[in-house]
Amino acid sequence: MNCRIVQENLSLYLDGQLSSSQLKVIAAHLESCASCRAEYSSLEQTVNCLRNLEPLTAPTGLKKKILNQIEEIDEKPHRWMLTWKNSWKYWGHNARKIGAAVVIIAALLLGKTILVPNLDFQRPVDLSGPTVESGQTEMAIPKEQTMHTMQGPAQLQSKELVRTDRVTDRKVIQTARLALLVEQLDKAMSAVEELAQKKGGFVQSSDLFRFDDARGANYTLRIPVDQLDGSLDQLEKLGEVQDRQTSAQDVTEEYIDIEARRRNLSQQEERLLSILAQAATVEDILQVETHLERVRGEVEALTGRLQYLENQTALSTLDIELRERSRSITTVQLPHDRLGTRLKEAFTGSINLLLSCLGNFALYLAAALPFLLLGSAIGAFGWLLYRRIALRK
Amino acid sequence: MVSDEILVKRSRQGDREAFALLIERYQDKIYNLTYRLVSNVDDSADLTQEVFYRAMLKIKEFRGDSSFSTWLYRIATNICYDELRKRKTRRFVPLDDSTPDGFSPKIADKTAGPAEKCLEKLMQQHIQKAISTLPPPQRTAVILRDIEGLSYEEIAQISQCALGTVKSRISRGRKALRDLLMSEQELFSPEHVYTK
Ligand SMILES: [Zn+2]
């Protein structure tokens, strides 16, 4: 086993995260190789450093603070709001099912209108009764119909989807991570920055780091949600993809919850103001004012949270990690990469060939269909004639 | 001791005392985790509060398909990522071989307290600073593994990524930390401190 492979696996070796045979091989190598042994001990020391870090304890009073904050959730939303929230929840959950059902039915209808005429084409085999003339006219009509019906339901369906989207107006925080191995870091960095601008987004933060002998950069981009997928695809071309993840966190419920709480608090604020206007004694005024201050503070906090959610849902967050390929890695990895891409190319090549063959076959079939139908109709006619003659005998 | 599951169940039914017990059980761990992730004591207190607040809001959604601690850690790491994103500061780690700012000079003019204690504290700061230079995914993986002592599988669940991704993040994170810490090691050896 070569030293490079051993050293790449030392971290896993340290945690026993390898198969027993791999563990044995590495243990044997460490016995005989001083440089890998040094590497291992430095890694072990690092891990021990981390393990021995003094554990921090939460500041006293934190628990009480949390409980106080939670108590406010209990007090604030009134019963009508809870029931309203629950019923929303109920509809929210079912809306998804209803939506899914609508989509499936629409898809079935769409599929049926496209498929039925196709079935008609095949039908003459069991129709066998009608004459040649009627067979031909039947065939000519559905062909035109398919063109119309195909457009009709498709448009309807997409409109419907848009509408359901607007009704719920879901707040979703879209995030993505992309790790790339690039040939030239500086080029890739300027490409990333350029892309952020072109897509109508911006670079929220960036930093440079060094890993082994190679340099790297981290970016956090904020990109309009509808540009995220396109951006990812474009960024992938900058290098070799090591990691690509996307996630969506639905915060609609929290958003609606906070909105409702804020509305409620604003009403409270108004009520307190009217009470304040009528307050007679200084004591009353002071009491109402402290109350008012608390309510206003909370409204502010909730507004902040709402703005944060607005911000997070308006733009997607894209974390990019660029790492420059170091020379030592290049020599080891390149053959594998080439083999990989060649295999991939060969594979997609033959798939494409297969698809185009199938496509051609389908085209041929479509072109031949009228003749086939005509032929089968004539055949059926002939067969019927033959049977009649045979029966007469 | 009452199990987490029972406390979670009671919390979902609105039992605040049960939730208080859960807070007690996990506040130190969450506080520790948030501090290691964001490197700021004040922020981590606020973040810990936010973690439990959000956990309370969402506890009805917790289906028990992972352990409560895994679920809580996931909330915590998500909140910390949000926080890290909010910090719009451009942070550049020096690429050359010079020492990161603020380390070596402090050793030279160490005046207060016994030498070992001072050294210990510096070492702690130094390690934390090194951790903070890791890209967040690696940082999270290394912290959860080596400081919080979680298994690879748990980390994969918390980070919602593949086991292989966790493995590579931990390997890379540890190596990067090793390089940072070892490049400074000579400065921290006693001879060096006393000769300065
Ligand atoms: Zn070796």
Side-chain angles (χ1 to χ4, degrees):
Chain A
M1 209 180 216
N2 93 30
C3 290
R4 176 144 203 110
I5 297 171
V6 169
Q7 291 186 6
E8 267 171 12
N9 284 297
L10 284 177
S11 173
L12 293 172
Y13 176 77
L14 195 72
D15 291 327
Q17 291 284 321
L18 294 166
S19 70
S20 56
S21 60
Q22 285 171 312
L23 289 173
K24 264 186 212 159
V25 170
I26 291 180
H29 182 92
L30 287 178
E31 285 274 311
S32 63
C33 177
S35 75
C36 285
R37 216 158 45 229
E39 173 87 10
Y40 178 68
S41 90
S42 74
L43 218 53
E44 199 178 26
Q45 271 180 42
T46 307
V47 171
N48 283 338
C49 259
L50 293 171
R51 282 187 189 148
N52 293 334
L53 277 174
E54 233 170 272
L56 297 154
T57 47
T60 47
L62 184 64
K63 185 180 131 192
K64 215 179 161 197
K65 248 170 119 181
I66 298 167
L67 287 172
N68 283 342
Q69 196 188 3
I70 288 169
E71 236 166 72
E72 282 164 16
I73 324 177
D74 289 350
E75 286 169 3
K76 290 291 129 59
H78 289 311
R79 189 161 285 172
W80 65 267
M81 203 177 287
L82 280 173
T83 51
W84 173 78
K85 198 184 139 197
N86 281 340
S87 70
W88 182 86
K89 236 182 184 173
Y90 173 81
W91 283 108
H93 280 293
N94 283 292
R96 247 179 258 170
K97 284 180 200 159
I98 293 165
V102 165
V103 169
I104 288 169
I105 290 167
L108 281 175
L109 282 174
L110 181 69
K112 224 182 157 191
T113 47
I114 295 174
L115 281 174
V116 162
N118 281 350
L119 287 173
D120 280 345
F121 286 149
Q122 288 160 356
R123 210 175 282 168
V125 178
D126 26 23
L127 274 179
S128 59
T131 55
V132 181
E133 290 87 2
S134 65
Q136 265 178 325
T137 46
E138 234 181 86
M139 213 190 71
I141 298 159
K143 232 184 188 176
E144 273 171 38
Q145 269 180 349
T146 46
M147 298 297 283
H148 291 296
T149 45
M150 235 174 85
Q151 281 171 347
Q155 275 172 344
L156 265 178
Q157 193 196 21
S158 63
K159 257 183 208 161
E160 213 159 320
L161 282 176
V162 169
R163 208 174 301 146
T164 48
D165 256 12
R166 278 210 195 113
V167 167
T168 46
D169 191 23
R170 303 208 74 83
K171 297 265 173 219
V172 180
I173 298 178
Q174 297 262 19
T175 52
R177 294 209 182 96
L178 187 66
L180 291 172
L181 196 58
V182 298
E183 298 300 332
Q184 282 175 298
L185 185 66
D186 304 317
K187 252 189 176 172
M189 281 173 74
S190 47
V192 167
E193 281 162 20
E194 207 176 291
L195 179 117
Q197 271 205 326
K198 246 202 318 210
K199 296 284 180 188
F202 60 93
V203 178
Q204 182 168 296
S205 73
S206 67
D207 61 70
L208 287 164
F209 65 88
R210 203 162 63 165
F211 177 72
D212 280 352
D213 297 326
R215 299 182 306 151
N218 283 310
Y219 277 96
T220 301
L221 305 186
R222 301 299 305 278
I223 303 273
V225 176
D226 53 330
Q227 300 286 331
L228 181 62
D229 286 333
S231 305
L232 277 171
D233 292 341
Q234 243 171 290
L235 286 166
E236 276 193 342
K237 287 173 196 151
L238 294 177
E240 185 188 317
V241 180
Q242 309 268 291
D243 190 13
R244 174 176 169 160
Q245 290 173 43
T246 52
S247 72
Q249 188 198 351
D250 194 330
V251 291
T252 319
E253 214 163 308
E254 190 193 350
Y255 189 87
I256 289 178
D257 183 43
I258 292 175
E259 238 180 3
R261 276 166 58 209
R262 190 178 65 166
R263 216 177 307 135
N264 190 35
L265 282 171
S266 302
Q267 283 169 3
Q268 269 191 37
E269 189 185 347
E270 273 169 40
R271 242 175 288 144
L272 284 170
L273 280 172
S274 67
I275 292 170
L276 190 65
Q278 290 160 13
T281 66
V282 178
E283 204 179 293
D284 281 351
I285 291 172
L286 283 177
Q287 213 179 349
V288 174
E289 268 179 347
T290 51
H291 221 78
L292 198 60
E293 206 171 303
R294 224 191 68 188
V295 169
R296 278 178 176 159
E298 273 175 59
V299 169
E300 216 166 277
L302 292 176
T303 309
R305 181 76 198 159
L306 280 178
Q307 277 167 354
Y308 169 71
L309 290 174
E310 290 271 13
N311 172 294
Q312 287 295 305
T313 50
L315 293 169
S316 61
T317 304
L318 175 51
D319 281 325
I320 302 165
E321 186 188 318
L322 301 173
R323 212 146 55 77
E324 197 167 45
R325 197 193 292 275
S326 69
R327 260 176 228 144
S328 52
I329 295 171
T330 319
T331 50
V332 179
Q333 280 193 349
L334 209 59
H336 292 289
D337 293 347
R338 278 214 188 122
L339 185 66
T341 48
R342 247 194 287 154
L343 273 173
K344 225 163 78 186
E345 272 165 19
F347 182 69
T348 49
S350 49
I351 287 276
N352 282 339
L353 193 68
L354 187 68
L355 284 177
S356 72
C357 277
L358 281 174
N360 284 339
F361 183 62
L363 252 175
Y364 162 76
L365 210 65
L369 208 59
F371 300 102
L372 283 174
L373 287 176
L374 194 73
S376 63
I378 292 170
F381 186 67
W383 185 68
L384 271 177
L385 218 74
Y386 164 77
R387 250 182 52 162
R388 237 175 248 177
I389 293 163
L391 274 174
R392 260 185 217 163
K393 270 188 180 172
Chain B
M1 203 167 84
V2 188
S3 72
D4 283 0
E5 286 74 36
I6 290 172
L7 290 178
V8 169
K9 207 174 156 192
R10 284 200 200 145
S11 302
R12 286 168 70 156
Q13 290 159 353
D15 183 344
R16 290 290 170 261
E17 267 170 51
F19 196 72
L21 280 172
L22 285 173
I23 296 175
E24 201 150 295
R25 208 168 271 184
Y26 287 105
Q27 61 172 350
D28 287 346
K29 282 182 180 168
I30 297 296
Y31 181 72
N32 212 18
L33 172 67
T34 52
Y35 169 69
R36 293 301 171 195
L37 277 168
V38 304
S39 310
N40 182 306
V41 184
D42 295 329
D43 285 348
S44 61
D46 290 344
L47 289 168
T48 305
Q49 190 175 343
E50 173 78 13
V51 169
F52 284 104
Y53 180 67
R54 212 181 281 183
M56 186 65 237
L57 283 179
K58 291 189 153 201
I59 199 147
K60 290 213 165 81
E61 290 169 30
F62 174 63
R63 300 259 172 266
D65 42 15
S66 67
S67 69
F68 175 72
S69 65
T70 299
W71 183 71
L72 198 63
Y73 276 125
R74 184 149 72 215
I75 294 177
T77 51
N78 285 339
I79 286 175
C80 288
Y81 278 158
D82 288 350
E83 170 67 21
L84 290 172
R85 280 191 200 113
K86 259 190 273 177
R87 298 181 181 177
K88 286 179 183 173
T89 48
R90 279 183 161 245
R91 179 171 48 84
F92 278 94
V93 179
L95 284 175
D96 53 341
D97 284 327
S98 70
T99 55
D101 48 296
F103 287 136
S104 37
K106 270 187 194 157
I107 300 164
D109 61 70
K110 46 124 205 138
T111 44
E116 284 101 45
K117 259 194 180 171
C118 179
L119 206 63
E120 174 64 28
K121 209 173 174 191
L122 275 172
M123 198 63 202
Q124 297 260 348
Q125 281 177 7
H126 181 55
I127 295 169
Q128 183 56 38
K129 181 122 186 181
I131 291 172
S132 74
T133 63
L134 295 179
Q138 284 175 32
R139 199 188 307 171
T140 310
V142 170
I143 290 169
L144 290 175
R145 176 69 199 161
D146 291 330
I147 300 180
E148 304 288 327
L150 300 185
S151 73
Y152 280 66
E153 288 78 12
E154 282 173 301
I155 298 168
Q157 276 195 324
I158 291 165
S159 318
Q160 291 179 295
C161 64
L163 202 61
T165 312
V166 174
K167 286 179 180 173
S168 81
R169 282 178 186 167
I170 291 173
S171 290
R172 286 155 63 195
R174 279 174 175 171
K175 264 193 181 179
L177 275 182
R178 192 267 320 270
D179 292 348
L180 276 167
L181 294 175
M182 294 300 146
S183 66
E184 303 296 318
Q185 201 185 30
E186 310 84 61
L187 286 169
F188 282 89
S189 62
E191 306 89 68
H192 194 98
V193 173
Y194 290 121
T195 48
K196 268 228 164 166

